[in-house]
Amino acid sequence: MAIKKTSERPSREPDDRVEKSRKAVLAATHQLLAESGLSGVSVDEVARRSGVAKTTIYRHWQSRESLLLDACSQLSSRPPVPNTGKLRTDLEAWIAEAVRRLQQPWATVMPSIIDAAERDKAIAELQSRIHAQMRAGLVAVIEHAQARSELPHSENPRKIAAFILGPIMYRRFISREPLDEAFAKSIVKWAMRIE
Amino acid sequence: MAIKKTSERPSREPDDRVEKSRKAVLAATHQLLAESGLSGVSVDEVARRSGVAKTTIYRHWQSRESLLLDACSQLSSRPPVPNTGKLRTDLEAWIAEAVRRLQQPWATVMPSIIDAAERDKAIAELQSRIHAQMRAGLVAVIEHAQARSELPHSENPRKIAAFILGPIMYRRFISREPLDEAFAKSIVKWAMRIE
């Protein structure tokens, strides 16, 4: 419920000043998220950093949670879908972009969302949406390969996606081992053998 | 540094009462960890739950962090290493046990450790140790298969482990999809093709 409400905008034309303070608040929230994760964001601290009064913040977002959901949604921009006509080159491009994004500062926010999702349904929904967006390009690459019979039609694309994205996420967040080019190549090589 | 210190024990024989309150404190910490993750554990709340005075808690552990590190270390017991003589059956047994553990209540603590590891070196070290213990049996299974030439000798066992454990961790914590038997079978089937 909370998630939908945050995207509603007042029907009157927002003036420049309103838009400017909205942007400042979101920027401060992104900064705090990158520095200390979900639990490090308080409306007090966002007000201090952005220079926007708490009352103004609460005029845009009902609650700290609404603000968090809005800020996190904006972080999960949809990566482009490679379409080279071949599974190998599509996968190489998609993995390279995913690895690049996972090494940017905001990627450190992801584990705090994953953690909060274990105990909070609204965050779990947000986590699902962010993840579905992140994975969408990979699923498209897999479906294109299935249409060309480069991958078996019988397999669920989301299962194949787990085999490709799983080792990447595992190395980044769990084993904390390098996501180098050799590792990316092995995943592509292995994915080409799915049948 | 902090990690090593927590495992040091006073040289005098601990009496029963000391051991009993130590156990009560660890049990309360485990409970709080399962309920609310790493950030939900305060020494005040541990004292309240365990009925052990704060001063006594600080006699055993220098700080909240030492207590957390000690409690988390105890959660990561080493799973048994299957040794059936065949990669397929070894993997089936190892994956079944890993999936069972990942569905127990304390598994919800793992994301809060993963999250804190992004920003705290002592926790990152702890996370590495917990993860190395969790993975040790799988690495042994892979090495046994390499010795029997069921898997290529040229591949790093930890890389093969990422291909097997990655999709499991991904489904449990990131895509939040079911870890059913069909998925486990697909991983085994796919792992048998590594060459």
Side-chain angles (χ1 to χ4, degrees), chain A residues 2 5-10 12 14-26 52-64 66-67 70:
Chain A
K5 277 181 188 158
T6 58
S7 58
E8 280 170 18
R9 299 279 279 279
R12 62 186 167 72
D15 64 30
D16 279 2
R17 209 165 50 97
V18 170
E19 191 51 31
K20 213 170 156 185
S21 66
R22 218 182 66 89
K23 276 191 183 157
V25 168
L26 284 174
V52 176
K54 268 176 79 172
T55 46
T56 310
I57 296 178
Y58 281 119
R59 218 171 295 140
H60 289 288
W61 297 273
Q62 299 166 7
S63 62
R64 169 182 174 272
S66 307
L67 171 59
D70 205 10

Side-chain angles (χ1 to χ4, degrees), chain A residues 53-97:
Chain A
K54 268 176 79 172
T55 46
T56 310
I57 296 178
Y58 281 119
R59 218 171 295 140
H60 289 288
W61 297 273
Q62 299 166 7
S63 62
R64 169 182 174 272
E65 196 179 53
S66 307
L67 171 59
L68 279 175
L69 295 176
D70 205 10
C72 291
S73 307
Q74 307 221 350
L75 287 170
S76 65
S77 64
R78 196 179 278 263
V81 181
N83 200 351
T84 62
K86 274 189 183 174
L87 175 58
R88 179 183 298 275
T89 40
D90 276 2
L91 271 184
E92 281 169 357
W94 190 87
I95 291 173
E97 175 62 14

Side-chain angles (χ1 to χ4, degrees), chain B residues 141-158:
Chain B
V141 161
I142 292 165
E143 286 170 345
H144 297 159
Q146 287 178 316
R148 287 188 305 259
S149 299
E150 286 192 86
L151 283 173
H153 299 264
S154 58
E155 288 289 7
N156 184 330
R158 289 199 304 281

Side-chain angles (χ1 to χ4, degrees), chain B residues 67-81:
Chain B
L67 171 60
L68 279 175
L69 295 175
D70 206 8
C72 291
S73 307
Q74 305 221 350
L75 286 171
S76 67
S77 63
R78 195 180 278 264
V81 183

